[in-house]
Amino acid sequence: MTRLAVAAFLLAAASAQAAPSVTRLVPPSELFTSNDPNPPVIARFLPGQRFDLQATVRLDAGTTLASFEFAVDGVVLKPASAVTSVVTTGLSLPAGTNAAVVSQRAYSNAKPGIHKLTVNATQSDGQRVSATGNFEVVALAGAGRKAKNIIILLGDGMGAAHRTAARIMARGYAQGKAHAALAMDTFPNTGMVMTSSLDAIVTDSSPGMSNYVTGNKAANNQEGVFPDDTADAFDNPRVEYLSEYLHRTQGKALGIVTTADVFDATPAANAVHTSNRGNGTGIVDQFLDDRGLTGLSVLMGGGRKWFLPNGDALKADGSRNGQAVNGSQRDAKSDYVLPPDLVAGWGAALGAKDPARDLIADFQGAGFAYAPDRAGLVAAAGADKLLGLFSYSNMNVAFDKINKRRGVSTIVDDYGFPDQPMLDEMAETALQVLSRQKNGFVALIEGASIDKQAHLMDTDRWLLEVIEFDRAVQVAKDFAAKHPDTLVIVTADHECSGAAIIGASTKPVAAIRAAAAPAEGASAPSAATLRDPVVGVYQAAKFPKYTIAADGYPQSTDVDFKMLIGYGANADRYESWLANATPTQDSQQPFVGQAPQSGYPANPSVRNQGAGFLVTGQVPGDQAVHTATDVPLSALGRGASLFSGVMDNTDIFFKIAQAATKGTK
């Protein structure tokens, strides 16, 4: 035998005896990932908080998994077989990979401290493999007055500049001092929050919210779960939400209020466990199906398209065969059926692929009053449980809702929902309903389109979104004044667009309009005509003045010497400095491709073309992006003193839990 042949034989023999390996261990830890036992401990839990254990075991070719076990601090766990599983098919691994994903569901540990987690696996040929990670159970100490009610007001994408700009517009300044504070400015305790997700310094909204209410980092696009190696979006290892923990241990209810589609990342990341934030049918079904786990009693926002039965013809795979005429976008492909071990471990609903489900009727059958519009919301204020769906997808923004009420424009009519409530009206009714819950509640109230309009760099629209959000903050503040056992938190999941107040116009608005609409035959607007002579910085900016109408919003955002906003994380756009007469198209609306919505600008890269000068962005694509900038957090009420300094977003969960379960002095 030649030397080359011998080497090949030895290599083949070694490969045949290669040991199996563990390529993923959940919960995530640096001890497993990099063999570093030092802080930070990535996964942290409350005493008794439930979470799943999982590992991916890579096996040699031609072998199978013979057995596995998890051990904590060297003690082998012996769960019931019903809450464990081995998955070898439907994995999101390279083709030809021989692997098994092994799970133990709904584990909990009551002993504070750092614990070692070990998985042991045996291959069918007798070879064994072990891997070790760690997690922490956080001790909550002391005793005092507990927070019965928790209200989290989340301005999606709202950074410090968004708050400041809204204050300038809504309150005004005189010789450098604000005439008055925003409601959120009056909270006595303030800190800053680091917002990164498990897998990136810049988070999206799914972990941006989920991290606050699980105490653990989630990966982008995922909520209430850890990443895994299965393709199924609903079988990922779960982490118990604040709502689930407090409902299970104290009987608290859950309320979710948003101006977005209710399936959207922020509302869903308080009650729904999925690795794909886009799976709308399954997300809204889980809201209702798992209400016994979360205590869901109020759900309000847009998103009616997911609740309406899809009677359109379906393909064999369960997908739609076109757009349902009633606006439904229910689809079997985005629905769920859970594996048996998850159902057994968590007591979760099995689920079903049922695009023809009438989810509104099912909510009503479960005792929820239904409000389809503002008038219905008023009528339902006395209910014990409430579902409100005020648009097919995302609700119209405050700019357009207010102009409808003033008789100025009919933009909201183009979406088919002319009588939509404002966020403060929704918040007030939600808190009325939730206040009837004898054990208290957790409420999420989201100003969603601060983010959505900042993505679109539609300055005037996101500014009014912040003002609308602050009016909801005032509602929560007033509620806390009457219910002193309430903790109110105002924050954001992340900053969006790198918004910055660069100054103010040096020209009357008429001059800007003239420059943005040049005479026939004249040159199109340019930096030389619409930037250089208009943008005032430092003392040239002075103090813009807006007239606030009786409804609490500016009479117009196009005022002489108006405030000007720039963006540090922007895509290409045409800037005219003027309010856009129509919104930019919202691709989530089911009828966006039909008139009149199809006549709106498709994106900021074509909006105002010919009426604004081109601003070249820092990012590709059509929209501005989130940034990793820390965001402000303000707190008021029972336990507010816990919130100060610079905090990680996962820290907020443990501070809320301290206030709700142990109390503060």
Side-chain angles (χ1 to χ4, degrees):
M1 186 180 289
T2 65
R3 288 183 178 179
L4 184 60
V6 170
F9 175 81
L10 293 175
L11 179 62
S15 298
Q17 296 301 313
S21 62
V22 176
T23 55
R24 188 190 296 276
L25 181 60
V26 172
S29 69
E30 276 300 299
L31 180 60
F32 171 77
T33 302
S34 63
N35 202 33
D36 186 352
N38 298 309
V41 177
I42 303 303
R44 299 181 298 159
F45 305 95
L46 292 172
Q49 184 184 0
R50 302 193 297 176
F51 57 98
D52 289 340
L53 308 177
Q54 192 178 88
T56 300
V57 183
R58 300 285 185 103
L59 304 167
D60 290 341
T63 68
T64 59
L65 183 73
S67 65
F68 77 93
E69 63 187 17
F70 289 102
V72 174
D73 300 329
V75 178
V76 174
L77 306 178
K78 297 181 179 180
S81 60
V83 301
T84 65
S85 63
V86 178
V87 177
T88 58
T89 60
L91 304 183
S92 53
L93 293 170
T97 302
N98 185 21
V101 174
V102 299
S103 304
Q104 178 179 330
R105 302 292 184 175
Y107 170 80
S108 66
N109 193 310
K111 183 179 179 182
I114 297 175
H115 300 278
K116 281 193 175 182
L117 170 66
T118 302
V119 62
N120 303 308
T122 303
Q123 202 169 247
S124 57
D125 61 3
Q127 293 191 80
R128 291 173 58 83
V129 64
S130 294
T132 299
N134 61 12
F135 63 88
E136 182 178 4
V137 175
V138 177
L140 301 181
R145 297 175 299 170
K146 298 178 184 179
K148 178 181 178 182
N149 308 311
I150 312 294
I151 303 174
I152 303 171
L153 291 124
L154 191 127
D156 201 307
M158 184 181 70
H162 300 84
R163 288 176 64 154
T164 306
R167 185 191 313 117
I168 291 171
M169 177 174 282
R171 302 294 187 259
Y173 277 53
Q175 297 189 71
K177 288 191 174 183
H179 284 294
L182 294 173
M184 67 182 89
D185 295 335
T186 65
F187 283 33
N189 293 85
T190 296
M192 297 295 291
V193 181
M194 299 178 281
T195 62
S196 294
S197 67
L198 180 66
D199 60 347
I201 57 172
V202 181
T203 189
D204 82 271
S205 291
S206 301
M209 182 72 238
S210 180
N211 296 353
Y212 280 136
V213 288
T214 65
N216 281 270
K217 295 289 187 178
N220 280 352
N221 299 307
Q222 303 188 5
E223 48 209 24
V225 297
F226 291 123
D228 73 358
D229 291 311
T230 71
D232 191 312
F234 288 97
D235 73 348
N236 283 55
R238 289 187 172 193
V239 190
E240 192 168 39
Y241 279 119
L242 178 71
S243 62
E244 294 173 310
Y245 182 83
L246 292 180
H247 181 66
R248 179 168 61 87
T249 60
Q250 297 185 357
K252 291 194 189 305
L254 172 65
I256 294 174
V257 178
T258 180
T259 53
D261 188 316
V262 294
F263 100 102
D264 207 22
T266 301
N270 286 269
V272 176
H273 301 269
T274 180
S275 64
N276 186 347
R277 58 175 286 183
N279 279 0
T281 310
I283 287 170
V284 296
D285 283 3
Q286 204 172 99
F287 274 131
L288 179 65
D289 295 345
D290 279 350
R291 66 191 182 281
L293 297 178
T294 64
L296 182 72
S297 298
V298 172
L299 180 63
M300 281 198 279
R304 199 182 300 179
K305 67 182 184 181
W306 304 112
F307 290 72
L308 298 169
N310 192 338
D312 197 23
L314 300 178
K315 298 179 181 178
D317 63 4
S319 62
R320 290 191 311 275
N321 190 30
Q323 171 62 55
V325 295
N326 64 347
S328 174
Q329 291 198 334
R330 289 187 62 83
D331 190 331
K333 281 189 171 182
S334 64
D335 213 338
Y336 76 97
V337 175
L338 298 182
D341 61 315
L342 199 156
V343 172
W346 289 88
L350 175 63
K353 301 295 183 79
D354 49 3
R357 182 180 189 181
D358 186 341
L359 193 57
I360 294 175
D362 286 353
F363 263 89
Q364 290 174 313
F368 284 74
Y370 174 55
D373 51 25
R374 180 191 180 195
L377 181 65
V378 173
D384 293 325
K385 296 180 181 179
L386 177 59
L387 172 68
L389 299 172
F390 308 114
S391 62
Y392 283 124
S393 183
N394 302 310
M395 294 176 64
N396 286 104
V397 296
F399 186 98
D400 297 314
K401 289 186 292 187
I402 283 296
N403 280 338
K404 166 66 176 181
R405 294 189 182 189
R406 293 173 176 174
V408 174
S409 79
T410 57
I411 293 293
V412 297
D413 295 354
D414 294 348
Y415 292 78
F417 297 88
D419 187 28
Q420 297 175 48
M422 307 301 292
L423 182 59
D424 54 318
E425 296 166 346
M426 296 161 66
E428 186 167 9
T429 300
L431 294 178
Q432 287 177 14
V433 173
L434 290 168
S435 67
R436 301 188 184 101
Q437 303 293 326
K438 65 178 182 179
N439 295 317
F441 60 83
V442 176
L444 178 279
I445 300 172
E446 183 198 19
S449 287
I450 301 168
D451 174 75
K452 297 182 190 302
Q453 297 304 311
H455 273 299
L456 298 171
M457 298 161 287
D458 193 327
T459 301
D460 301 78
R461 281 183 169 78
W462 69 246
L463 268 163
L464 263 66
E465 288 299 289
V466 182
I467 294 172
E468 180 188 37
F469 175 72
D470 193 62
R471 291 172 64 84
V473 172
Q474 184 64 54
V475 169
K477 182 180 176 182
D478 293 343
F479 180 90
K482 297 176 182 177
H483 302 82
D485 51 0
T486 300
L487 169 64
V488 185
I489 296 169
V490 179
T491 190
D493 46 355
H494 53 75
E495 195 277 344
C496 183
S497 78
I501 304 164
I502 56 177
S505 168
T506 60
K507 301 288 185 182
V509 69
I512 300 177
R513 292 190 192 281
E520 187 175 351
S523 298
S526 66
T529 59
L530 201 51
R531 182 193 66 186
D532 300 352
V534 172
V535 178
V537 299
Y538 299 109
Q539 65 270 25
K542 303 188 186 306
F543 298 104
K545 291 180 171 57
Y546 296 84
T547 301
I548 304 302
D551 56 26
Y553 294 86
Q555 195 65 51
S556 172
T557 58
D558 284 338
V559 298
D560 292 344
F561 315 112
K562 72 182 290 186
M563 176 172 49
L564 303 182
I565 305 293
Y567 300 94
N570 59 315
D572 296 350
R573 75 183 192 281
Y574 288 92
E575 182 60 78
S576 71
W577 306 121
L578 299 170
N580 297 303
T582 66
T584 307
Q585 287 183 17
D586 178 358
S587 61
Q588 295 188 58
Q589 300 295 337
F591 299 112
V592 67
Q594 301 178 22
Q597 293 179 43
S598 58
Y600 296 164
N603 55 65
S605 69
V606 298
R607 184 186 65 206
N608 294 324
Q609 192 169 11
F613 67 95
L614 178 64
V615 179
T616 302
Q618 286 76 38
V619 301
D622 296 324
Q623 296 194 6
V625 297
H626 300 173
T627 72
T629 305
D630 294 353
V631 297
L633 179 147
S634 301
L636 171 148
R638 188 66 52 82
S641 60
L642 296 167
F643 299 87
S644 63
V646 178
M647 302 164 281
D648 187 72
N649 50 15
T650 59
D651 295 335
I652 307 307
F653 171 81
F654 296 98
K655 293 177 184 294
I656 295 174
Q658 174 72 44
T661 64
K662 297 295 184 180
T664 56
K665 294 181 179 179

